[in-house]
Amino acid sequence: MQKISQFSFLVLWGRLALSKGFKVLMPKEQVIAILNQVVMLECNFTVTEEPPLKNIVINWQLANTNQVVHSYYYGRDQLKKQNPNYFGITSLFPEEFKRGNASLRLEGVKLKHSGKYQCYVSNASGSGEGIITVVLAAFYSEPRLIIKQKSSSTSLMFESSGYPKADISWYFGDNKDASVLSNTSYWQDADGLYTVQSTMEINKIENNSTYTFVLRNAVVNQTILRTFTLKAEEYGTSMSKSASTLLLITIAGSVLIIMALAILLYNKYIKAKSIEIIVPNLP
């Protein structure tokens, strides 16, 4: 209890200290954090002629609840009051304090770590604070394709998982929006990830019919695209005058994934292999 009251005194002292020329600067208002990866919350403070490490206090907390994420004072980390959701995943850079760097590193972030964070810095020169918002995202997985042949129709279904909820579209022919003809459902698992299933029911196959499935995760600029060309073929048998129909589905898949990370932006292109599947049309 003694250390907590001393910390409160240091914070109060810092707020009352003269802060001419002292500022806390947040280079970014928002950062995108990728699930299970490392994210850096940048926070800088002005280094004046005063020794920047004298009586320095750095406190990261959740802006909406004031719960402690990481604290540093008396020359070392103070984590007794740290929110349990952050045990073992936070760290500062004490060797960088003299350069005005009070940034926080979060390792292995989860969806529960999204939200607004406040960086508070106080030293002999003054005090200040800033806010940064962490937005969590997870790239959607390679979609799983399920084809079902029925007596009077064929269904194409895609399933994928990611975060946040993706935008799904279907197109027919030359970019004619066919999304209203599809059925798309979402659900979340225990970790908060979304699984999306989207089905297109095709009742009539015209020769060289083309359908395109598009999944978009706007937060990370991810787009997954699949284009199908469907061909209906008929053939006869020497045993019967009746004709049987086979549905030849040519799947020409291409995946375009454009990844935009908050700190490092990069592009990646993946082209899927072409697959041919022959599905008999049931009587």
Side-chain angles (χ1 to χ4, degrees):
M1 295 297 295
Q2 184 179 5
K3 289 188 176 181
I4 298 301
S5 61
Q6 288 174 333
F7 169 66
S8 300
F9 172 77
L10 286 173
V11 172
L12 179 61
W13 173 86
R15 292 185 183 275
L16 296 175
L18 295 176
S19 56
K20 182 179 181 180
F22 183 91
K23 292 182 179 180
V24 170
L25 307 172
M26 310 298 285
K28 299 177 181 178
E29 294 182 357
Q30 177 177 292
V31 62
I32 306 298
I34 305 302
L35 184 70
N36 295 323
Q37 296 188 14
V38 173
V39 65
M40 195 73 66
L41 310 188
E42 296 184 67
C43 177
N44 301 320
F45 60 93
T46 306
V47 177
T48 63
E49 64 277 3
E50 295 289 342
L53 302 183
K54 185 177 181 181
N55 298 323
I56 190 168
V57 175
I58 296 176
N59 186 54
W60 280 90
Q61 64 185 33
L62 299 176
N64 296 331
T65 63
N66 295 328
Q67 294 183 55
V68 174
V69 175
H70 196 109
S71 290
Y72 181 100
Y73 52 94
Y74 293 137
R76 62 187 179 90
D77 293 325
Q78 305 286 346
L79 305 179
K80 289 185 177 181
K81 292 296 182 178
Q82 186 182 46
N83 183 304
N85 288 335
Y86 297 89
F87 286 171
I89 71 167
T90 64
S91 58
L92 300 175
F93 304 89
E95 69 280 3
E96 291 289 319
F97 292 168
K98 60 185 177 182
R99 299 181 180 89
N101 184 359
S103 300
L104 176 71
R105 172 189 166 100
L106 298 178
E107 185 171 356
V109 293
K110 306 296 182 184
L111 297 180
K112 62 186 177 183
H113 297 134
S114 61
K116 293 182 180 295
Y117 291 73
Q118 181 188 75
C119 173
Y120 171 82
V121 181
S122 171
N123 64 11
S125 299
S127 65
E129 58 193 38
I131 300 290
I132 185 171
T133 301
V134 176
V135 177
L136 263 291
F139 288 103
Y140 273 78
S141 59
E142 186 70 15
R144 184 167 67 101
L145 170 63
I146 300 173
I147 301 175
K148 292 183 179 180
Q149 182 71 5
K150 303 177 182 179
S151 59
S152 59
S153 66
T154 299
S155 67
L156 306 176
M157 186 185 78
F158 274 113
E159 181 177 291
S160 182
S161 297
Y163 190 87
K165 186 181 290 186
D167 177 52
I168 304 297
S169 301
W170 286 86
Y171 298 91
F172 172 74
D174 297 330
N175 294 325
K176 180 180 179 181
D177 193 344
S179 301
V180 68
L181 303 177
S182 66
N183 182 21
T184 301
S185 58
Y186 303 85
W187 64 88
Q188 285 182 282
D189 62 18
D191 295 325
L193 286 179
Y194 283 100
T195 294
V196 57
Q197 279 188 353
S198 187
T199 303
M200 174 63 71
E201 193 82 16
I202 303 171
N203 296 316
K204 181 180 179 181
I205 303 299
E206 298 179 358
N207 198 32
N208 294 328
S209 298
T210 300
Y211 290 85
T212 300
F213 164 83
V214 181
L215 179 153
R216 296 184 180 89
N217 185 351
V219 175
V220 290
N221 290 338
Q222 180 190 23
T223 299
I224 298 177
L225 181 148
R226 286 284 188 274
T227 297
F228 301 84
T229 300
L230 287 73
K231 297 180 180 180
E233 293 186 352
E234 293 185 354
Y235 68 94
T237 67
S238 58
M239 298 298 294
S240 173
K241 294 182 180 180
S242 63
S244 298
T245 303
L246 286 181
L247 177 64
L248 174 64
I249 302 178
T250 303
I251 305 174
S254 64
V255 182
L256 176 61
I257 301 179
I258 304 175
M259 302 178 181
L261 301 182
I263 301 176
L264 180 64
L265 301 179
Y266 62 95
N267 295 331
K268 185 176 182 181
Y269 178 78
I270 302 176
K271 186 175 182 180
K273 294 181 179 179
S274 295
I275 305 172
E276 288 188 352
I277 301 176
I278 298 177
V279 182
N281 195 21
L282 300 178

